Amino acid sequence: MGTRERNSGQRWGVAMCHGFSGTRSSVAPWAEGLAARGFDVELPLLPGHGTDWRDLERRRWREWTETFEDAYARVAARNDVVFVAGLSMGGAIALLTASRLPVAGIAVVNPGLDFYDWRVRYISAIRLIMRTAAPIEEPSAPEPVGDEGDYSITPLAAVHELKRLFRAADRALPRVTAPLLVFKSDVDPVVPPSSARRILRRAGSSHVDFVPLHSSSHVATRDAEAPLIVERTAEFFARCAASAASPTVGA
């Protein structure tokens, strides 16, 4: 999605990440809304996604983070100011990236860092005797858009990798210092509220905004409050860019 130069002369770019077993369509309204407001948005498809569960089963969490960091590098090469954003697992990847690379701001929607199911604690052993499980049911999930692949079952090897990713993101939170915007749905059957609470408590961000979502489920970027997410993200990133461009007093 193309770059526009702003009145300030700055070009603003966003690297955006979808979630576990999802595809770019899950965050497309968010990406398209920001692009319409002049942001250059890069939205990679993570390895093992958009195909089928057997492909996902073979992937490792570092493949996902490396793919996203490659997208970040492309955005950084084209723009003066770079932001990261993500939904669910993509929120964890965005936060981990922000702990490693310079970003002007971060926006996450229903970010993942924890699980409802206590059995995930033992996933490293369970995956050795049980290959798959039924996916989490989300009654109000939006209808698929296009070919999102076959994820009618969930490979437990991939859940093990997801747990490892969440652990890495959690450890990195104190090193996340950029301004942070967190959206969290009141009702979310996929990611427990403990994830957002942990991020808000442990992130080292200089400024944190929290926006509750009262009318959206997990994939809020394609739910009733998707326009609100776009608007609040654009406003937040604009403030972040203005702050980054302001000279330090006494410099």
Side-chain angles (χ1 to χ4, degrees):
M1 301 181 188
T3 303
R4 286 188 216 165
E5 191 166 298
R6 300 181 170 274
N7 293 335
S8 63
Q10 291 183 329
R11 292 165 297 178
W12 299 352
V14 183
M16 184 177 290
C17 195
H18 63 76
F20 181 73
S21 79
T23 64
R24 289 176 287 213
S25 69
S26 64
V27 291
W30 196 14
E32 292 164 1
L34 292 177
R37 286 161 174 77
F39 291 86
D40 173 25
V41 185
E42 183 94 16
L43 179 53
L45 182 65
L46 301 181
H49 295 75
T51 51
D52 62 50
W53 66 270
R54 296 171 191 82
D55 185 13
L56 183 61
E57 182 179 43
R58 297 190 296 268
R59 303 298 180 165
R60 299 295 177 261
W61 71 270
R62 291 188 186 278
E63 294 182 72
W64 303 331
T65 58
E66 288 167 3
T67 296
F68 186 69
E69 288 180 6
D70 287 345
Y72 165 94
R74 291 191 294 272
V75 173
R78 299 192 299 261
N79 295 279
D80 307 299
V81 182
V82 182
F83 305 97
V84 291
L87 166 69
S88 192
M89 178 186 81
I93 292 175
L95 288 163
L96 185 57
T97 301
S99 77
R100 298 171 173 171
L101 298 168
V103 302
I106 310 152
V108 293
V109 176
N110 292 324
L113 212 63
D114 202 357
F115 300 87
Y116 275 114
D117 195 331
W118 61 269
R119 291 172 296 180
V120 175
R121 290 183 224 163
Y122 310 105
I123 196 67
S124 60
I126 293 172
R127 69 191 170 97
L128 301 177
I129 58 175
M130 186 174 168
R131 187 179 180 188
T132 65
I136 297 171
E137 291 292 330
E138 188 181 358
S140 59
E143 289 298 316
V145 176
D147 184 7
E148 297 190 355
D150 175 18
Y151 297 92
S152 54
I153 56 178
T154 300
L156 295 187
V159 176
H160 176 60
E161 293 300 314
L162 180 62
K163 179 184 175 184
R164 296 179 67 196
L165 166 63
F166 284 177
R167 186 181 300 136
D170 181 54
R171 287 196 301 263
L173 285 174
R175 300 193 300 276
V176 175
T177 57
L180 172 62
L181 174 62
V182 179
F183 296 93
K184 180 60 183 169
S185 296
D186 293 342
V187 178
D188 182 349
V190 179
V191 172
S194 56
S195 288
R197 288 198 300 264
R198 190 165 180 81
I199 290 166
L200 294 171
R201 184 175 72 250
R202 286 177 44 78
S205 297
S206 55
H207 177 84
V208 179
D209 280 2
F210 177 76
V211 180
L213 301 173
H214 305 304
S215 305
S216 302
S217 191
H218 181 65
V219 186
T221 46
R222 279 181 51 198
D223 213 322
E225 291 161 302
L228 169 68
I229 292 171
V230 171
E231 194 61 38
R232 291 294 295 269
T233 303
E235 292 172 357
F236 182 79
F237 283 172
R239 292 199 305 271
C240 292
S243 178
S246 299
T248 303
V249 176

